[in-house]
Amino acid sequence: MADITEIRELAQKLNLWNIARGYIDLNDEKLSNLDYLKMVLEKELEIRARQKHTKLRKASKLPNKAFDASNSNKGLNWQIKQLSNLT
């Protein structure tokens, strides 16, 4: 079950300061559906993160291409694998 502190932390990340600071009392509601509210706030965070990624990708003006490793040699493939694992 969702906790009031988790919901306030999510609201703070979304700059929903009325909920984050407790100006809106979530315990006072008769229809306490904290799990639903938590899910809505988490989805909002996911959407904002996805939109930010898209915006930054467009701002970088990099081509939208995938690397084709089929024509590379074994040494290059090893290096690519090490870089993808950050080792």
Side-chain angles (χ1 to χ4, degrees):
M1 183 169 168
D3 186 23
I4 295 287
T5 56
E6 290 176 330
I7 292 173
R8 286 194 175 149
E9 288 172 4
L10 291 170
Q12 185 178 6
K13 289 179 183 177
L14 292 169
N15 292 328
L16 300 172
W17 293 105
N18 291 325
I19 295 173
R21 292 181 181 158
Y23 296 146
I24 299 172
D25 189 9
L26 299 175
N27 289 326
D28 193 31
E29 295 293 323
K30 301 292 184 238
L31 301 172
S32 178
N33 200 347
L34 299 178
D35 289 327
Y36 177 75
L37 179 59
K38 182 181 177 214
M39 187 238 352
V40 168
L41 294 175
E42 285 176 338
K43 284 207 176 273
E44 180 70 22
L45 281 174
E46 288 174 19
I47 291 168
R48 286 186 182 196
R50 200 173 330 125
Q51 288 174 340
K52 183 178 180 181
H53 182 267
T54 303
K55 181 180 174 183
L56 291 173
R57 177 75 179 171
K58 284 182 182 180
S60 72
K61 297 182 181 178
L62 292 172
N64 193 13
K65 295 183 179 180
F67 182 74
D68 183 22
S70 62
N71 294 332
S72 59
N73 60 24
K74 291 181 182 181
L76 184 59
N77 284 335
W78 178 83
Q79 288 178 341
I80 292 170
K81 183 178 176 183
Q82 294 300 315
L83 284 172
S84 67
N85 294 331
L86 296 175
T87 56

